[in-house]
Amino acid sequence: PDADVALARAVNDWQIAAWLEPESRLRASIVVPSKQPDAAAREIERVGDHPGFVRVFLPVRSAIPYGKRFYHPIYEAAARHDLVVSLHFGGAPGNPPTSVGWSSYYLEEYAGMAQVFQGQLMSLIVEGVFDRFPSLRLALVESGFTWLPPFLWRLDKEWKGLRREIPWTTRLPSAYVRDHVRLSLQPVDGPPDASRLLRAIDQLGSDDLLMFSTDYPHWQFDEPEEALPLGLPAELRRKILGDNARDFYRLTK
């Protein structure tokens, strides 16, 4: 645990010295010891006022679901500093990455990571995190996005019948997503042609949810023509390329 704290502090100090101070246009994520929420909150307090930091980095895989009250200190600190909380592909908490145990191949983990994002998003909504912290904003990074509409269709439907279990959730789960959640574009897990991809985006119910990304320089990063397919309407393209992120991270234009 001491090494976790020391490493997080060192990475954040390095980000400031090597990137944020030399180049004022860059923005960064605060690295925190996510398995120790109190220590994570202290690290957010330490560097959270730096103008270069706009979000808190959490690996999407965790020992317990992120909606649990155990993690509230992180959300309190992030909300106090007006920082986005981001869940990023990966993590190694000791739990299997699938709901039915350990997989044999990386392909299974890579393709199945969307299930982990679904579980965490469901936990945050159902446990009432957005009700307790109404200003909290959540970014899902490298989650894909075409899984979101059918997932929310089912969650909205079941909430209507079982909402008596969770009376603190006063709105449809999809309403929380529209108000509090954004998703990075990479990996584009939808159809390759613009017309069918537009239908998938339309099912999201909002043009505000997607933010451009490529995952460069990882070996599996999206090429420019794959990262943002040609043929998207100009207004949607502009929002995905910049406006949605500027608004969500509250950056000045």
Side-chain angles (χ1 to χ4, degrees):
D2 295 333
D4 288 350
V5 173
L7 184 59
R9 289 175 63 94
V11 169
N12 293 328
D13 289 343
W14 170 78
Q15 289 191 92
I16 293 172
W19 297 100
L20 300 181
E21 295 298 342
E23 179 48 82
S24 62
R25 293 175 298 177
L26 293 177
R27 297 294 181 267
S29 302
I30 299 174
V31 176
V32 297
S34 58
K35 290 183 275 190
Q36 304 174 70
D38 288 334
R42 288 194 293 272
E43 183 61 10
I44 295 170
E45 296 291 348
R46 187 178 76 90
V47 297
D49 285 335
H50 192 288
F53 287 119
V54 295
R55 70 185 187 191
V56 177
F57 176 99
L58 298 177
V60 70
R61 289 178 59 194
S62 59
I64 59 175
Y66 278 128
K68 299 289 187 180
R69 298 174 192 178
F70 175 75
Y71 292 107
H72 280 188
I74 294 177
Y75 309 139
E76 287 176 341
R80 185 159 50 249
H81 290 275
D82 197 27
L83 296 166
V84 170
V85 171
S86 69
L87 302 187
H88 190 282
F89 183 106
N95 293 331
T98 81
S99 59
V100 291
W102 291 99
S103 52
S104 299
Y105 303 100
Y106 179 63
L107 170 62
E108 297 173 85
E109 181 169 358
Y110 188 77
M113 196 62 67
Q115 302 169 35
V116 185
F117 279 95
Q118 291 175 27
Q120 296 288 22
L121 180 59
M122 181 164 55
S123 174
L124 288 159
I125 294 171
V126 169
E127 295 275 1
V129 170
F130 298 118
D131 295 275
R132 186 177 180 89
F133 306 102
S135 66
L136 187 69
R137 304 177 328 270
L138 176 73
L140 304 182
V141 182
E142 293 187 24
S143 67
F145 64 89
T146 58
W147 55 266
L148 185 61
F151 170 75
L152 289 178
W153 296 337
R154 178 163 187 166
L155 191 56
D156 280 356
K157 173 182 178 295
E158 303 305 341
W159 175 83
K160 292 175 183 177
L162 297 170
R163 58 186 293 187
R164 63 186 179 277
E165 277 193 320
I166 49 172
W168 46 85
T169 57
T170 57
R171 299 184 295 157
L172 284 168
S174 57
Y176 289 99
V177 171
R178 284 193 297 271
D179 289 348
H180 295 273
V181 180
R182 299 294 182 267
L183 303 92
S184 72
L185 196 62
Q186 194 276 344
V188 178
D189 53 356
D193 63 277
S195 61
R196 288 193 295 160
L197 183 62
L198 273 172
R199 286 200 293 271
I201 294 175
D202 184 63
Q203 290 177 340
L204 294 173
S206 172
D207 289 345
D208 300 332
L209 296 187
L210 299 181
M211 303 183 296
F212 181 75
S213 64
T214 69
D215 202 30
Y216 180 85
H218 287 172
W219 65 268
Q220 77 274 33
F221 75 93
D222 286 340
E223 297 287 350
E225 62 273 13
E226 298 171 343
L228 189 68
L230 299 175
L232 299 182
E235 175 67 12
L236 176 60
R237 182 181 177 87
R238 182 176 60 81
K239 296 184 78 170
I240 292 176
L241 281 174
D243 287 356
N244 287 345
R246 288 193 189 99
D247 292 342
F248 193 57
Y249 292 109
R250 296 177 180 168
L251 305 176
T252 57
K253 295 186 179 181

